[in-house]
Amino acid sequence: LKSFKMAASYPLYTCRFLDFVPEAINCMAHNANLQLLALSRADGSIELYTTANSDAQPTYCFTIWNDEASVEAMAWFNNKLYTAGLAASIRCWNPFTGALEETCDSYGGAIWSLVALPQQAQLAVGCEDGAVRIFNVDADSGSITLGMASDRTDGRVLSLAVSRDGKHLAAGDDVGCVRVMEVRLMRTQQRLVLGHGQGSRSPVLVWASTFISDTLLATGDSEGRVQLWSTAVGVLLQTLQTHEADILALSLDGNSASLYATGIDHKVVRLQEVKPSEGKQAAGRWAVTTEHRYHTHDIRCMEVTNDAVYTGGIDAQITRASPTLTKIIKASFYDRNTIAAFAPEVSLLAWAVKDGVQLWSLSEDTPSLAMSLQSDDRAVALALSASGNLLAVATATQCRLYRLSSNANGLQCKRVLCRDTSNINQMTFGNSESQLLVLHNNLTLQTLTETGDVDSLSLVETEADLSMGLVSLAVSSDHQHAVVARGAKLHFVNLDTFAFVGAATLASAITSLSFVPQEHLIVGLLDHDTSFVFDCETQLQHQNAKLTLPDTFKNLRATHLMPSPWTPSNFIVTTKQGLLSLSFDKSKQRSRKRGTPAKESNDNKQDSTAVLSAISRRATACNVFTSLAGPSGVVVSASWPAIQDKLPAPLERQRYER
């Protein structure tokens, strides 16, 4: 246990005992209609981010906890998300609720690539057995059925690309070939041979491909080359050595003016067609115009929109770059929902790990209890009662309640309830320890008791009422009121009667919210660096209260907000740069004369800057911030260098046996 003075009256105690390694990003897909970015991580989870604010980083919405193996490919069709991977099945997800709607076997083993054919209402998948299969998708029911299949080859199909007119498919494999097929008949029209690598007997792996036009195909391979092919006659037109290692992703912008390539050497390259007036090269030739390295490890996937280039990989960070690759914004992996819980009366911390849950007493340097879940289960949400007597653990398919007790052998647990459920976002215990409050992604609020009694309350009538954005839950200190936020909308619930009492819509998406201690005021922050205060009893915005935002807060993107345990009139915010103290006071607002502008306290502004700079010098990003009993707080944090040391080494792709 180590302590140091962070700023005046802000002592901070740190204890390094929690192991946190973010999961690598495998693939991503963007939906321009819904302004949603979906991505999958190495643990099989699927995350949704909204890209509505084009000038900022993507805003985390919620996580879909997929209980199958790693997701290797995904695509959007008819505003539904389709995923596929090593589990050899295609799954259809509802992006508004996170519910699994349809699943279908691949009939060909593991799936390595997936593209949508919107003109034909079909999906094309590249399988382990070397065949490309076409699946029909019913627009009304969403059911997935097998349509056609191509001939098999000796290698697995690593990449798929569909032409602009939707009539042709290009399938790249791991034996150095690209097959160009007509979608209508699934027969090979052209066979493009890349051969073997230089100085190697191993065949070239075609990791990525994309059509620039109906007859111009770009491929990226394990030799670090971008090659342009004429699919009409099957001729290689141009080869560009853009990378020092495998190219894993290729993407074209909406105007077909820029081609982007990236891969294992974590370099992003922009290629453009050279016009005759700009050089001596003939028209139709492409050249590298920009290249940048803003990731530390392999980049596995890339998605290009009209105004942004999104990339992700082993370092687990989502990066948004401008089309010219000049303006870079990184979205922290700490934006994800925290899978942790704290019992303030006994200083007991619950922390989710890959194979179960660990319970830590802050007075000890080893876990008080390590709970193991089933091999195919993992904790997606946790809750601890204030006294530490009850622990709630939610998995992808169940909600379990455990009773904790201490004896001579240490901390013991006994499961008292197990209930099948899904899409749980957050949980917390109510005023009675035996009452558990459960929030689902579809904004269904439930109360669950130790005896198994369940009461449900839906906060929206239809899916159309679900705005996209962060899903969060806050409960007042007297457990009389609860506020649920999703996107830019607040939903107010009276917990005494367990009834929905009103809603409010704000100007932009909500990034964090918390109750004022001992009051029925809810305080929150928006992604446009503004704040709000609402009175839960009247559901009206409070005009005599304000959260002071100093200049240092701009563009920091708050992830957690809570009352300061040291200064009752302040709130503590966790941001990508660390902790920030914000002043909250409503008495000054009431006493000032009408027409007199509110003045920001210089002391508070200096205090905020001091706290922020003290944390920033430690290169620390905060993941959890919660209140302890008494005038103290606990921060679960990790420095980026410490996390980076635990990530897989660059140029490593063990899952492809290379």
Side-chain angles (χ1 to χ4, degrees), residues 156-478:
R156 61 178 64 136
V157 181
L158 297 179
S159 62
L160 282 175
V162 59
S163 61
R164 295 288 170 159
D165 57 10
K167 296 180 179 180
H168 293 86
L169 278 174
D173 53 36
D174 61 357
V175 293
C177 294
V178 178
R179 290 174 292 161
V180 180
M181 295 170 283
E182 187 180 2
V183 174
R184 184 173 60 90
L185 301 175
M186 289 306 292
R187 293 180 180 177
T188 301
Q189 293 182 334
Q190 298 289 347
R191 189 169 182 266
L192 314 177
V193 181
L194 282 72
H196 296 273
Q198 297 181 1
S200 173
R201 295 182 179 180
S202 301
V204 172
L205 308 182
V206 187
W207 291 117
S209 59
T210 185
F211 275 93
I212 298 176
S213 65
D214 291 337
T215 59
L216 182 60
L217 176 70
T219 61
D221 56 43
S222 56
E223 294 296 303
R225 303 173 303 187
V226 174
Q227 294 185 315
L228 303 179
W229 303 80
S230 170
T231 58
V233 294
V235 175
L236 176 63
L237 302 177
Q238 187 180 1
T239 298
L240 298 100
Q241 190 70 45
T242 58
H243 292 71
E244 293 80 26
D246 302 35
I247 294 177
L248 303 180
L250 282 177
S251 192
L252 193 71
D253 67 358
N255 301 321
S256 300
S258 297
L259 177 66
Y260 297 87
T262 188
I264 284 182
D265 61 359
H266 54 272
K267 178 171 65 174
V268 181
V269 174
R270 182 191 186 197
L271 301 97
Q272 291 182 298
E273 189 175 6
V274 178
K275 299 179 181 179
S277 60
E278 294 181 352
K280 299 180 180 180
Q281 292 176 308
R285 306 287 289 181
W286 290 67
V288 175
T289 58
T290 313
E291 60 180 49
H292 278 285
R293 279 187 172 94
Y294 39 78
H295 284 268
T296 60
H297 290 65
D298 309 10
I299 302 177
R300 292 185 173 181
C301 53
M302 175 172 54
E303 192 72 13
V304 178
T305 65
N306 291 332
D307 55 5
V309 178
Y310 298 98
T311 53
I314 288 182
D315 65 5
Q317 299 188 87
I318 310 169
T319 300
R320 181 194 184 277
S322 62
T324 58
L325 304 182
T326 53
K327 184 180 179 181
I328 311 298
I329 301 176
K330 290 189 176 182
S332 172
F333 37 75
Y334 292 116
D335 288 349
R336 304 175 67 187
N337 277 349
T338 302
I339 308 177
F342 190 73
E345 295 179 9
V346 292
S347 298
L348 188 66
L349 178 69
W351 180 262
V353 293
K354 286 185 177 180
D355 55 351
V357 179
Q358 291 181 353
L359 294 172
W360 291 82
S361 174
L362 297 189
S363 60
E364 301 175 0
D365 56 359
T366 58
S368 302
L369 178 64
M371 298 171 51
S372 296
L373 301 176
Q374 297 178 2
S375 58
D376 57 344
D377 276 345
R378 60 187 161 195
V380 303
L382 296 176
L384 264 176
S385 62
S387 63
N389 292 328
L390 289 175
L391 169 68
V393 179
T395 67
T397 57
Q398 290 181 335
C399 180
R400 306 169 187 174
L401 197 61
Y402 298 86
R403 180 161 290 279
L404 304 177
S405 59
S406 298
N407 54 32
N409 297 324
L411 192 63
Q412 305 293 324
C413 71
K414 179 182 179 181
R415 191 169 71 180
V416 295
L417 182 66
C418 181
R419 190 175 186 87
D420 292 338
T421 186
S422 60
N423 298 317
I424 292 180
N425 188 283
Q426 294 177 55
M427 301 186 299
T428 185
F429 280 93
N431 194 20
S432 171
E433 278 203 350
S434 61
Q435 186 183 60
L436 180 67
L437 199 61
V438 180
L439 175 64
H440 297 258
N441 289 331
N442 61 355
L443 295 195
T444 297
L445 200 61
Q446 291 182 325
T447 57
L448 181 64
T449 64
E450 192 173 350
T451 59
D453 297 332
V454 178
D455 194 4
S456 297
L457 174 66
S458 180
L459 302 181
V460 293
E461 295 182 358
T462 63
E463 281 187 11
D465 298 327
L466 291 171
S467 59
M468 296 308 299
L470 178 69
V471 180
S472 54
L473 169 68
V475 179
S476 61
S477 54
D478 59 3

Side-chain angles (χ1 to χ4, degrees), residues 567-586:
T567 308
S569 61
N570 283 10
F571 273 77
I572 300 295
V573 181
T574 62
T575 71
K576 62 182 180 181
Q577 295 294 335
L579 293 180
L580 182 65
S581 175
L582 301 181
S583 174
F584 176 82
D585 186 81
K586 61 179 182 179

